[in-house]
Amino acid sequence: MRRLALVLAALFCMAAASDPADRLPDPGQEARARALFSQVRCMVCQNESIDDSDAELAADLRRLVREQVSAGRSDPEVKAYLVSRYGEFVLLKPAFSWTNGLLWGAPLLVLLAGGLLLRGRLRPVPVEAELSEKETARLKELANGQD
Amino acid sequence: MIVELGAFCLILALTLSAVQMGLSLAGRFLRSRVMASAGEGAALAAFAAVAVAFGALMFSFVTSDFSVANVAANSHSEKPLLYRVAATWGSHEGSMLLWCLALTGFGAAVAVQGRGLPLGLKAMTVATQGGLGTIFLAYTVFASNPFMRLLPAPVEGRSLNPLLQDPALAFHPPFLYAGYVGMSVVFSLAVGALVEGKVDAAWARWVRPWALAAWSMLTVGITLGAFWAYYELGWGGWWFWDPVENASFMPWLIATALLHSAIVTEKRGALTGWTVFLALAAFTFSMLGAFLVRSGVLTSVHAFAVDPTRGVLLLMILGVTAGLGFALFAWRAPALTPGGVFAPISRESALVLNNILLAAATATVLLGTLFPLIREAMTGEAISVGPPFFNLTFTPLMAALAVILPAGPLLAWKRGDARGVYQRLWVAALIAVAIGLLTYGLVQPRKAFSAAGIGLGAWLILGALAELAERTQALKGDGSTTLRRLIGLPRGAWGMTLAHLGLGVFILGACFETGWKVEAAEVLPVGGTLDVGAYHLVLDRIQGVEGPNYEAERGMLRAYRGETLICRPAPERRFYPAGGQTTSEVAICLQGLNHLYVVLGERRATATAPVWLVRAYWNPLASLIFLGPLIMAIGGLISLSDRRLRLGVGQKRKAGA
């Protein structure tokens, strides 16, 4: 129950990311910061980005990201900085790395396996006793229409 | 007294489910029609018993009987009636009872409806359904009994979480569970078919209505959940790729794949093994969902009252049930007759491609949900998998699916005619590309991916219409023929057209809303103004509101477009003293299909006068996000009412299939 209350506490007053008091003066930088927010996890929250969360930690992280952005750091630099401070957990998009190979590779593997299986079933079907157009139309009528 | 009756009936239902399984198995293996019928009778009785138990629990919620531990923990006497009723399934215990109600309900429905089924298959299906009922009822009785008494009874309950006191969420679980558990029938039919060693066109036809019904319910359930998140959580998001959302989405994806592969099995007798596999997988994913939501292995914004012991039990249920199902599959599937071959360009090919893409999408969602656990177990490091991952993996798979979709229904079985499809679709393709390009050129700011999404949505809608035109020969010029054909079109065809159209509608809404929503936030004193997109908001005053079980501040605003007053949004910020929680009640002004979404934030004291944080969003075409899936679900239900599915046509054709 207490845990549930915590979850809810994290949910209440959301989207504090748009609080006018914290905004960067440069709209371009602010937009970049907002884009970064949605890729950074609020680590004490339940699977929320710092863009959505109103937890204190999220506010701290937003301040940190805004500082970095206004100091002229690029997006990858800001992310690298966050990872160096908080670990990979802070990024909502896992890195492309061998340890995450299964995660990124799975869709491709399934596609590949499916493609191979499909190939096994495909045969050029011989043209046999073609129906005339009239017959085809009649057949369709029977199949679709009044059965 | 009524509570004890409920507890008694629950145990009775457990016994009856076990009896149902025993009698039906005996009926199957002794080839005894009497035993099998007795098993069906037990299935009906088990459902009746669970229904009584469910009624008893609902009664104790409605009358606020706080001597029941579950009521005391999840209800409050000041709560409105609707939410006292909905609180019946608002807790872990109550929702397990709802699960059992749906499970025995579907068991009873198979017993009653499955008249056309051969004795062996039907008995095995009812037996499996009984087995599932036994397991889940045992779990409910012994590990999550909602009828536990509390002594001494508290004077007041602890209330249902106020975020959940909402009409959309009151009806979200019943639909979701009907969908989840509806897959159990498909699972049982698959087990039955594997035991009988016969998967043919007739079997596929028996599976389809159950899969369709469950899929439609699940679609409605997920949409209600997304809609709730949209207007209740207060930042306009509707899908977060949260583990719990994923848990409900995976069975949906598998069921969608199953609906399509079952068509191939029904019409062409092909993909038999794969269809059975999907039938087993759909309910397995439902159970996985139940486990993920309740075990607490994953952190999620929606997690239920979390209890690791119960989680372990649910994991065991999942392991045993799915394990037995798939072991049976591994043993019997090789004996199934493989279907016919087909050319690379054929409807079979298109449907197989659909299945490959949906399977890959499911694998993506599954790994996206579980990989953090795997990775932590392997390396000890925690990682997060969030929306950016899914946007990069899931979205392209769905885009590929959307690209091939309109061609599928126009291809012939076995050997299709690519030229013919091209002739029927080039106009639709041209218009869709034009719409995409126009969107890219005209809508500011320029967004290539969102514009491409709009083009795809248009492609699906136009493709569905082109297919309808083809079926009714609308373009051949003869109006009366078209009308006659339109009326004579089988409901199954309407269902498909609507489902595909609905997907297009959804994609249009989702891409437009995500790509071009406008957000604005300001701290406003009374009389302050805020601009969002083309709209202009004025905060007139703040009103105190006494609700039945909350106190609220209500912002009275006026919204203008140019000089015209278009609506008076009145968002609220509510405080529920029972649980000490605050929620926000969003105000949404509908402007056609677009939403002007206004949220009242916290009050801030300043030196001069109090100010309020007001946030407003302009969500273009947001209605389509929820209308699309609704159209899909309606398509499913219309298809379900098709004559071919209602009558036992399958049996007559069995000899020829």
Side-chain angles (χ1 to χ4, degrees):
Chain A
M1 213 49 217
R2 264 197 58 202
R3 187 158 170 186
L4 195 67
L6 275 178
V7 174
L8 292 167
L11 265 173
F12 295 149
C13 12
M14 274 105 349
S18 54
D19 192 326
D22 305 335
R23 261 173 233 160
L24 291 173
D26 177 352
Q29 285 190 342
E30 173 67 14
R32 254 187 63 208
R34 288 300 298 275
L36 278 167
F37 289 169
S38 61
Q39 299 179 47
V40 176
R41 180 181 189 138
C42 159
M43 284 119 60
V44 297
C45 309
Q46 313 279 325
N47 217 33
E48 279 179 295
S49 74
I50 59 171
D51 199 46
D52 298 333
S53 174
D54 197 42
E56 243 172 77
L57 176 86
D60 291 344
L61 281 169
R62 282 196 294 270
R63 201 167 310 126
L64 200 67
V65 171
R66 282 197 169 107
E67 274 169 23
Q68 296 277 316
V69 168
S70 63
R73 303 269 160 77
S74 71
D75 289 4
E77 278 168 0
V78 177
K79 284 192 207 167
Y81 173 72
L82 286 172
V83 170
S84 72
R85 266 186 84 153
Y86 300 102
E88 216 185 314
F89 188 62
V90 76
L91 295 183
L92 282 170
K93 188 177 90 185
F96 290 104
S97 64
W98 284 112
T99 33
N100 293 338
L102 177 65
L103 177 66
W104 288 103
L108 288 176
L109 273 181
V110 175
L111 283 182
L112 209 68
L116 287 177
L117 281 175
L118 176 60
R119 249 191 71 183
R121 299 301 300 276
L122 294 177
R123 305 285 148 71
V125 176
V127 186
E128 40 171 61
E130 275 282 8
L131 296 176
S132 75
E133 232 168 69
K134 223 170 146 189
E135 284 168 325
T136 318
R138 174 76 187 125
L139 200 64
K140 240 181 159 176
E141 225 175 86
L142 285 173
N144 291 338
Q146 313 75 30
D147 58 44
Chain B
M1 181 57 210
I2 291 200
V3 175
E4 274 65 43
L5 177 70
F8 170 75
C9 280
L10 195 60
I11 298 168
L12 182 66
L14 168 60
T15 322
L16 283 168
S17 286
V19 169
Q20 170 190 346
M21 179 171 72
L23 285 174
S24 301
L25 279 177
R28 160 67 181 81
F29 290 103
L30 303 175
R31 293 277 159 207
S32 155
R33 200 168 277 280
V34 179
M35 292 272 215
S37 302
E40 289 164 20
L44 290 175
F47 172 56
V50 179
V52 171
F54 191 77
L57 186 64
M58 193 180 280
F59 177 82
S60 48
F61 268 99
V62 170
T63 57
S64 293
D65 181 353
F66 296 125
S67 70
V68 179
N70 191 31
V71 179
N74 298 292
S75 194
H76 194 280
S77 56
E78 282 170 16
K79 219 161 49 171
L81 180 65
L82 171 66
Y83 303 128
R84 272 183 278 149
V85 171
T88 312
W89 51 78
S91 67
H92 163 79
E93 290 83 358
S95 69
M96 280 318 297
L97 188 58
L98 179 64
W99 179 287
C100 290
L101 181 72
L103 192 59
T104 49
F106 277 109
V110 175
V112 174
Q113 282 287 316
R115 260 177 246 119
L117 266 60
L119 172 73
L121 178 63
K122 188 175 179 189
M124 266 323 291
T125 307
V126 175
T128 313
Q129 206 70 27
L132 291 172
T134 311
I135 293 175
F136 280 101
L137 278 162
Y139 173 77
T140 309
V141 169
F142 297 113
S144 323
N145 200 322
F147 294 108
M148 293 294 183
R149 288 285 197 177
L150 195 62
L151 214 72
V155 184
E156 194 47 272
R158 276 193 287 172
S159 192
L160 178 73
N161 165 2
L163 277 173
L164 307 182
Q165 293 181 27
D166 178 272
L169 212 63
F171 296 109
H172 161 71
F175 277 107
L176 202 63
Y177 279 35
Y180 270 177
V181 180
M183 304 299 172
S184 68
V185 181
V186 176
F187 181 92
S188 299
L189 276 166
V191 170
L194 286 170
V195 170
E196 299 297 306
K198 194 168 170 200
V199 178
D200 54 12
W203 178 82
R205 191 169 298 204
W206 288 315
V207 164
R208 253 175 81 72
W210 300 103
L212 258 176
W215 177 89
S216 305
M217 296 296 169
L218 199 53
T219 310
V220 173
I222 295 174
T223 312
L224 279 177
F227 187 53
W228 168 79
Y230 176 72
Y231 72 77
E232 188 65 34
L233 296 188
W235 73 95
W238 43 274
W239 192 260
F240 306 97
W241 293 109
D242 181 88
V244 169
E245 292 169 349
N246 295 348
S248 69
F249 193 40
M250 286 186 280
W252 187 89
L253 286 170
I254 291 290
T256 311
L258 172 66
L259 283 176
H260 290 88
S261 83
I263 298 175
V264 181
T265 308
E266 181 185 333
K267 303 280 184 194
R268 302 280 309 148
L271 300 185
T272 45
W274 175 242
T275 304
V276 172
F277 180 85
L278 287 177
L280 294 174
F283 189 57
T284 304
F285 275 106
S286 293
M287 289 190 289
L288 179 70
F291 162 70
L292 288 179
V293 179
R294 292 182 167 75
S295 63
V297 292
L298 296 165
T299 53
S300 145
V301 285
H302 311 258
F304 252 99
V306 151
D307 179 345
T309 356
R310 286 170 175 169
V312 171
L313 280 173
L314 278 172
L315 191 62
M316 280 162 61
I317 293 179
L318 170 65
V320 168
T321 318
L324 284 176
F326 285 109
L328 188 66
F329 178 79
W331 176 37
R332 304 285 284 191
L336 297 177
T337 42
V341 293
F342 43 85
I345 299 201
S346 62
R347 193 178 300 181
E348 287 97 322
S349 255
L351 287 167
V352 170
L353 214 53
N354 150 305
N355 268 242
I356 292 173
L357 287 166
L358 282 170
T362 313
T364 308
V365 178
L366 181 66
L367 271 163
T369 312
L370 295 182
F371 190 74
L373 292 179
I374 301 172
R375 170 79 197 267
E376 200 166 353
M378 273 178 2
T379 63
E381 286 168 285
I383 63 156
S384 307
V385 180
F389 167 80
F390 293 101
N391 291 342
L392 222 59
T393 49
F394 182 83
T395 314
L397 289 171
M398 284 301 107
L401 189 63
V403 169
I404 59 162
L405 194 153
L410 291 170
L411 282 165
W413 292 107
K414 205 167 175 186
R415 191 164 49 83
D417 167 19
R419 260 183 77 90
V421 172
Y422 169 75
Q423 278 168 357
R424 289 173 193 123
L425 280 178
W426 71 269
V427 182
L430 207 65
I431 301 176
V433 169
I435 288 177
L437 286 175
L438 277 177
T439 313
Y440 180 69
L442 295 179
V443 183
Q444 293 299 332
R446 272 198 191 164
K447 291 192 171 174
F449 281 114
S450 302
I454 301 299
L456 266 184
W459 165 238
L460 286 185
I461 295 172
L462 293 164
L465 294 178
E467 190 265 341
L468 194 64
E470 165 68 19
R471 270 176 187 271
T472 56
Q473 300 192 343
L475 302 178
K476 300 254 164 75
D478 184 358
S480 66
T481 316
T482 304
L483 193 66
R484 192 167 47 77
R485 280 173 170 253
L486 211 56
I487 293 165
L489 214 56
R491 296 204 183 150
W494 277 114
M496 178 195 71
T497 305
L498 281 176
H500 290 170
L501 195 109
L503 183 63
V505 169
F506 166 77
I507 291 180
L508 270 189
C511 290
F512 222 96
E513 195 266 354
T514 324
W516 290 288
K517 70 151 66 178
V518 182
E519 179 190 323
E522 248 6 291
V523 278
L524 301 182
V526 166
T529 64
L530 172 67
D531 286 320
V532 50
Y535 295 80
H536 179 71
L537 292 164
V538 184
L539 178 64
D540 280 336
R541 62 201 151 88
I542 299 281
Q543 210 175 50
V545 179
E546 267 314 305
N549 54 345
Y550 60 84
E551 292 150 27
E553 282 188 318
R554 182 185 293 159
M556 307 299 283
L557 293 102
R558 275 171 296 149
Y560 290 94
R561 188 192 169 100
E563 293 299 306
T564 14
L565 178 70
I566 54 152
C567 73
R568 296 173 181 274
E572 289 179 16
R573 188 171 170 79
R574 290 183 180 170
F575 177 69
Y576 289 79
Q581 293 144 322
T582 315
T583 68
S584 75
E585 204 65 16
V586 170
I588 298 176
C589 294
L590 294 179
Q591 291 293 299
L593 296 166
N594 313 310
H595 296 176
L596 180 63
Y597 182 107
V598 187
V599 189
L600 182 69
E602 81 247 25
R603 175 206 287 256
R604 288 182 188 172
T606 58
T608 48
V611 289
W612 285 265
L613 178 64
V614 176
R615 291 195 313 277
Y617 300 81
W618 170 247
N619 295 334
L621 299 186
S623 291
L624 297 184
I625 297 170
F626 311 106
L627 283 177
L630 213 59
I631 297 174
M632 294 168 85
I634 290 171
L637 292 177
I638 289 180
S639 181
L640 193 60
S641 70
D642 197 307
R643 256 177 80 232
R644 290 181 316 132
L645 294 181
R646 272 183 293 143
L647 302 178
V649 184
Q651 213 180 20
K652 277 182 236 154
R653 289 212 193 149
K654 210 166 49 179

